[in-house]
C-alpha cells in the first residue's frame, strides 16, 4: 500500500476527508481499527491539524468514524451511511417492498385521520388518473399508480414520510415498469388493482385509519407476491 501522500491546494478539508475515506473503503484502515493521530495524519497529508479535525468531523457525519474521548478516532463503517439512494438501487426488490409496506401503511393510517378536503380532492384526482392510465402503456400506468400512492403519503402531513417515500420512487418505478411488462400483470386487466386502490381512497374519505392500513397492506402484499412469484 503506497503512502497517502500530500495534498495539493483546493478545499483542503474536503480533500483530506476524501483521502482518508479512500483508505477506509479500501480496507487499509479496517472497521474497528484506530486511525493515526491528528499529528500523524496532518504530516502525511501535508495539512494543518485544524484541517484534519474538520475532515474527521465530516467523516463522522457520514458514519465512517467515531471519536472516543481519550482513546482516539475509530473506523465504524467502510462506506458512507448517508448514501441511501444508492443502497436502495442496489437492494433486492423483496427488501425494498418490505420497507415500502412499513412506510406506506403507517402513512395511510395517518392520512385517514389528518387528511383535509384538499387532500381528498388530490387522491380522488389521482385515482381517476390511475384508472384512465389503464389505456396507456406500462410506464404511464406505473407513473399514475405511484402518483396516487404519493398523494396518500402527502395526506399524512409528515414531511419526513414525504422525503422517505420520495427516495423509494425511482427504484420502485424501475422495478415495476420492468416486471409489470415481463409478468403480464395487466394482460386482461389494464386497470390492475383498481378496486383495492378505490377501497383505500374510500377509507380515507371515511377517516377509517384501520381500514386504510388494512387495504393498503393487502394491496402491497398482493403486488409483492405477484412480482416475486411467492
Amino acid at each position: 500500500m503506497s503512502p497517502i501522500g500530500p495534498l495539493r491546494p483546493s478545499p483542503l478539508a474536503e480533500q483530506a476527508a476524501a483521502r482518508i475515506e479512500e483508505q477506509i473503503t479500501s480496507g487499509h484502515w479496517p472497521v474497528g481499527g484506530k486511525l493515526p493521530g491528528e499529528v500523524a495524519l496532518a504530516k502525511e497529508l501535508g495539512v494543518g491539524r485544524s484541517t484534519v479535525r474538520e475532515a474527521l468531523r465530516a467523516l463522522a457525519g457520514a458514519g465512517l468514524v467515531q471519536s472516543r474521548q481519550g482513546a482516539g478516532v475509530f473506523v465504524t463503517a467502510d462506506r458512507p451511511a448517508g448514501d441511501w439512494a444508492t443502497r436502495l438501487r442496489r437492494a433486492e426488490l423483496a427488501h425494498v417492498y418490505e420497507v415500502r409496506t412499513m412506510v406506506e401503511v403507517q402513512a395511510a393510517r395517518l392520512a385517514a385521520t389528518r387528511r383535509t378536503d384538499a387532500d381528498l380532492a388530490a387522491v380522488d384526482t389521482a385515482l381517476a388518473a390511475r384508472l384512465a392510465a389503464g389505456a396507456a402503456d406500462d410506464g404511464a400506468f406505473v407513473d399514475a399508480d405511484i402518483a396516487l400512492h404519493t398523494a396518500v403519503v402527502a395526506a399524512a402531513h409528515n414531511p419526513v414520510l414525504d422525503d422517505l417515500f420520495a427516495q423509494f420512487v425511482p427504484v420502485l418505478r424501475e422495478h415495476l415498469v420492468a416486471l409489470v411488462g415481463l409478468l403480464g400483470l395487466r394482460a386482461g386487466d389494464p386497470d390492475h388493482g383498481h378496486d383495492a386502490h378505490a377501497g383505500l381512497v374510500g377509507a380515507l374519505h371515511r377517516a377509517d385509519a384501520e381500514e386504510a392500513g388494512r387495504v393498503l397492506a393487502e394491496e402491497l402484499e398482493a403486488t409483492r407476491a405477484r412480482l416475486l412469484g411467492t
Side-chain angles (χ1 to χ4, degrees):
M1 176 70 67
S2 60
I4 57 180
L7 299 173
R8 294 183 295 276
S10 194
L12 292 181
E14 292 181 15
Q15 285 196 65
R19 195 68 61 82
I20 294 169
E21 182 178 335
E22 288 173 4
Q23 299 298 304
I24 292 172
T25 57
S26 70
H28 181 64
W29 291 325
V31 174
K34 181 180 176 181
L35 294 184
E38 283 185 7
V39 173
L41 283 172
K43 183 176 180 180
E44 287 192 71
L45 294 167
V47 298
R49 292 179 64 182
S50 62
T51 298
V52 170
R53 284 194 291 271
E54 187 177 346
L56 292 176
R57 281 196 294 270
L59 293 171
L64 288 170
V65 302
Q66 182 180 63
S67 178
R68 300 174 188 169
Q69 189 171 6
V73 178
F74 292 81
V75 179
T76 53
D78 60 4
R79 68 178 65 182
D83 196 1
W84 175 239
T86 299
R87 295 191 69 181
L88 276 176
R89 287 195 299 271
R90 293 174 178 172
E92 294 181 13
L93 182 58
H95 295 158
V96 172
Y97 247 81
E98 285 177 358
V99 179
R100 179 193 181 186
T101 298
M102 287 185 280
V103 170
E104 282 203 66
V105 169
Q106 181 59 20
R109 291 181 180 130
L110 291 174
T113 61
R114 298 177 178 177
R115 85 289 186 277
T116 64
D117 289 344
D119 293 324
L120 292 176
V123 294
D124 286 345
T125 298
L127 179 65
R130 187 185 186 279
L131 182 61
D137 61 22
D138 289 340
F141 179 77
V142 168
D143 286 339
D145 179 76
I146 290 174
L148 173 56
H149 286 266
T150 300
V152 173
V153 173
H157 294 280
N158 183 320
V160 177
L161 280 173
D162 290 339
D163 291 344
L164 186 56
F165 185 68
Q167 293 287 333
F168 282 90
V169 167
V171 68
L172 285 175
R173 186 185 191 283
E174 180 181 349
H175 283 302
L176 289 172
V177 171
L179 292 174
V180 165
L182 180 66
L183 301 178
L185 294 183
R186 299 174 64 212
D189 182 17
D191 309 324
H192 178 73
H194 175 72
D195 289 346
H197 287 81
L200 169 61
V201 171
L204 297 187
H205 274 274
R206 296 190 300 276
D208 189 336
E210 288 305 311
E211 179 69 2
R214 184 191 66 78
V215 169
L216 185 53
E218 290 181 356
E219 189 271 327
L220 289 175
E221 172 55 26
T223 302
R224 186 203 66 81
R226 292 188 183 95
L227 293 177
L228 300 175
T230 60

